[in-house]
Amino acid sequence: MAATRGEFSSRFGFIMAAAGSAVGLGNIWGFPTQAASNGGGAFLLVYLVLAFCLAYPALMAELIIGRHAHSNAVQALQLISRGPISKFIGGATGIAGLIVASFILSFYAIVSGWMMAFCINAALTFLDMGESAAWLVEFSLTRNLIFMCLFMLMTIGIISQGVQGGIERWSGRLMPMLIIMLVILVMYVLTLEGAMEGLKVYLLPDFGRVMSPSLIIAALGSAFFSLSLGVGTMLIYGSYLKDEENLPLVGGYVTLVDIGIAVMAGFLIIPAMYVAQHNGIQIFNEAGALISEDTLIFTVLPNLFNTMGTTGLLVSFAFFFLMTIAAVTSSISMLEVPVAYTIENHGAERQKAVWIIGGVITAISATIIFNFEMLFGLVIELTTRYSQPLLALLLCVFVGWIWNREGLLQELKKGNKDVESTFFWKIWPWYVRLVCPLIIGVIFVNSLWG
Ligand code: PFF
């Protein structure tokens, strides 16, 4: 089986793919709005500390299990298990991960469909096709269904081309494009009036809030979602990595790109909000808090673009195109999780597996759309707030307690013979064994209490 498995052809390909998975709606939309409503610079500071000290070690746990086993999460966790009980829990954790990844994709595809619709809206408005353009930005069953299906087709199309021809090729093309567009948008927004006020809010930490538990919980949740942890996406990407790769280094690059883009997105979104305010658009809600989430992306920003005339259409097109790219490089990693399992554990052909699983996820998405009020928020909450941290915790337990230290060391040595003398080896095994499970556990319990 190993001979027919896909593999990333280069370090760059892997970094773009894994960073592509990590960089998504969570970075460009979630992080900046959370920062804006949680003390600006204070949130940024806590996020940076947590991302490096907790999310990076957890990411390393996934990469190392995947690379060691060169197989999907179910087989990989069973491989490092020592007895029948841990083998059973390992298999169950892998299966749970692929189910959660599929459900995350089912809501992610709906939101990503909206991004596509808003992007096309800008193009049609430019072409004077006002009526069709208006339909695209109105919340309707048909629009939601059509664009969710289009987005799923794009995801299925890429994943059906395999690891090198699909994931690596498309991430390698789209990620540099995303970075360039983001930089251009940031530079443009910072030249507008009102932007400097937003910049101040973003960069000046309100130190009184740094130790606030709700801020810390929000920042950690954000970091975990942002690095796609828990559900096996990083594990499966790690399994396509060559043995010669230095894992702590490539994992570090992925974390840096992810954090860098989230921070950069803050330089776009928060100043843009204050530019909107300068142009007479309301950015604080009745409670006095900054408008965030869907209202920000689908009301405040489009209103801002409207005040900017033809340039606004271009900026709007660029912004929603950027969001769509970020979404697609993440969605492909989610679909790869159940697909790889079906290929490796059930001997299915890639094409067949991709279309069947993609079809099932599309059907789940459609069910959510038909029962939007009841299911949309519920699925997001169950998957990202409860399942993801719990699964990430289990993966840390597998690396820290079930797999032996010697096994870990041998795996790391494949890509760096001197790893034993590095700072990483002195700290990391203890981190995944004690610190990560403990802190994730505390956060999980906290989130249960809501
Ligand atoms: N990391 C993605 C984001 O920030 O939008 C979300 C994500 C991707 C979560 C893949 C989970 C996952 F498996």
Side-chain angles (χ1 to χ4, degrees), residues 92-109:
T93 306
I95 300 272
L98 71 88
I99 294 174
V100 175
S102 306
F103 275 95
I104 293 183
L105 179 53
S106 72
F107 78 76
Y108 212 81

Side-chain angles (χ1 to χ4, degrees), residues 138-154:
E138 263 161 37
F139 193 92
S140 73
L141 193 80
T142 335
R143 186 219 44 186
N144 291 352
L145 274 176
I146 291 177
F147 280 91
M148 176 276 288
C149 287
L150 282 176
F151 184 81
M152 280 304 298
L153 274 176
M154 218 152 71

Side-chain angles (χ1 to χ4, degrees), residues 179-217:
I179 295 172
I180 293 171
M181 284 178 73
L182 185 59
V183 172
I184 293 176
L185 280 174
V186 168
M187 291 196 313
Y188 175 68
V189 165
L190 288 182
T191 62
L192 302 176
E193 254 176 87
M196 287 306 134
E197 204 181 326
L199 207 56
K200 266 191 229 149
V201 171
Y202 185 41
L203 290 180
L204 294 180
D206 172 359
F207 280 113
R209 301 186 60 173
V210 170
M211 289 319 288
S212 131
S214 66
L215 182 147
I216 295 177
I217 290 169

Side-chain angles (χ1 to χ4, degrees), residues 32-222:
T33 55
Q34 289 209 15
S37 42
N38 279 300
F43 185 86
L44 178 62
L45 204 70
V46 175
Y47 179 85
L48 288 179
V49 171
L50 292 180
F52 280 114
C53 298
L54 280 166
Y56 168 67
L59 167 71
M60 286 309 302
E62 283 203 35
L63 290 182
I64 207 166
I65 301 176
R67 218 273 300 270
H68 173 71
H70 286 300
S71 67
N72 65 81
V74 177
Q75 287 185 4
L77 290 171
Q78 287 176 334
L79 182 80
I80 59 170
S81 296
R82 292 202 213 152
I85 297 178
S86 57
K87 214 170 178 158
F88 174 78
I89 298 177
T93 306
I95 300 272
L98 71 88
I99 294 174
V100 175
S102 306
F103 275 95
I104 293 183
L105 179 53
S106 72
F107 78 76
Y108 212 81
I110 300 173
V111 182
S112 309
W114 297 339
M115 301 295 171
M116 284 169 76
F118 271 73
C119 178
I120 299 173
N121 162 276
L124 292 192
T125 312
F126 182 73
L127 297 172
D128 254 346
M129 297 168 69
E131 232 169 84
S132 322
W135 175 79
L136 287 169
V137 294
E138 263 161 37
F139 193 92
S140 73
L141 193 80
T142 335
R143 186 219 44 186
N144 291 352
L145 274 176
I146 291 177
F147 280 91
M148 176 276 288
C149 287
L150 282 176
F151 184 81
M152 280 304 298
L153 274 176
M154 218 152 71
T155 307
I156 289 171
I158 296 179
I159 285 300
S160 69
Q161 293 166 3
V163 179
Q164 270 185 30
I167 300 172
E168 183 170 352
R169 184 156 56 122
W170 282 99
S171 307
R173 284 177 185 168
L174 295 176
M175 284 303 287
M177 198 148 111
L178 178 144
I179 295 172
I180 293 171
M181 284 178 73
L182 185 59
V183 172
I184 293 176
L185 280 174
V186 168
M187 291 196 313
Y188 175 68
V189 165
L190 288 182
T191 62
L192 302 176
E193 254 176 87
M196 287 306 134
E197 204 181 326
L199 207 56
K200 266 191 229 149
V201 171
Y202 185 41
L203 290 180
L204 294 180
D206 172 359
F207 280 113
R209 301 186 60 173
V210 170
M211 289 319 288
S212 131
S214 66
L215 182 147
I216 295 177
I217 290 169
L220 193 69
S222 193

Side-chain angles (χ1 to χ4, degrees), residues 20-27 101 104 108 222 224-229 231-233 258 326 330-331 333-334 337 388:
S21 166
V23 173
L25 303 178
N27 299 59
I104 293 183
Y108 212 81
S222 193
F224 270 77
F225 181 74
S226 180
L227 271 175
S228 316
L229 297 175
V231 294
T233 48
D258 183 54
S330 295
S331 67
S333 73
M334 299 176 210
V337 176
Q388 245 190 313

